[in-house]
Amino acid sequence: MNATPVRRTITRRLEEDTDLYDCIRRIAREGGVNAGRVTGSGTVKRASLSIHDQKLMRSFTVDIPGPMEIVSLYGIISHRDGRPVVRAHIVLSDEQGNGKGGELLPGGTPVSVCDVSIEEYGTRETSAPSRTSSSLP
């Protein structure tokens, strides 16, 4: 296995009430990132996640009320048809420490305070659909 060096790191503080997924994709597009890894920390006002049910072998969208703290945000950025594709998973915790997690979906996770970092690698073209969890076997 060959290691791919990091070309650069882009770190941004997101504006309150902007959508987490959409901001990651926009930062990647505006920065010309063709392949990379995204991480982040902060808080969200609510979340819309895709959760894969292993028994039923299908995915469901779950809306989680907030506020919630981002315990972990990790994902990959690839490229398809000239546009960035984001696949990111997030773990959130409420004020009692109860956790929820899943695949981050576009348009449903407004941030309160959030910083994201994108480490850019070489080009990676993908043929996978943008919501890959729904196409898992």
Side-chain angles (χ1 to χ4, degrees):
M1 183 164 123
N2 294 332
T4 303
V6 174
R7 289 185 179 175
R8 65 183 168 142
T9 301
I10 302 169
T11 302
R12 298 281 186 273
R13 167 141 306 164
L14 307 184
E15 292 183 33
E16 185 176 7
D17 293 319
T18 58
D19 181 70
L20 181 54
Y21 180 97
D22 294 340
C23 284
I24 294 168
R25 189 170 49 197
R26 180 181 48 80
I27 293 166
R29 184 181 65 246
E30 291 174 356
V33 176
N34 291 315
R37 172 176 61 183
V38 61
T39 58
S41 63
T43 58
V44 298
K45 295 185 174 186
R46 64 182 178 281
S48 182
L49 306 177
S50 177
I51 298 175
H52 188 74
D53 186 311
Q54 295 293 326
K55 291 179 184 174
L56 297 177
M57 300 307 286
R58 61 178 278 205
S59 294
F60 298 92
T61 298
V62 177
D63 292 317
I64 303 168
M68 304 280 280
E69 179 180 357
I70 299 171
V71 176
S72 176
L73 170 63
Y74 185 87
I76 60 168
I77 298 169
S78 58
H79 229 230
R80 185 181 66 229
D81 300 328
R83 293 178 300 190
V85 175
V86 176
R87 180 151 188 229
H89 287 82
I90 190 167
V91 178
L92 301 165
S93 174
D94 66 17
E95 55 275 347
Q96 283 84 38
N98 300 309
K100 302 275 186 186
E103 185 173 353
L104 190 61
L105 297 175
T109 308
V111 302
S112 295
V113 176
C114 186
D115 296 313
V116 297
S117 291
I118 297 173
E119 292 180 340
E120 181 185 23
Y121 305 125
T123 302
R124 179 179 175 188
E125 188 75 18
T126 185
S127 59
S130 59
R131 280 197 60 204
T132 53
S133 66
S134 62
S135 63
L136 290 173

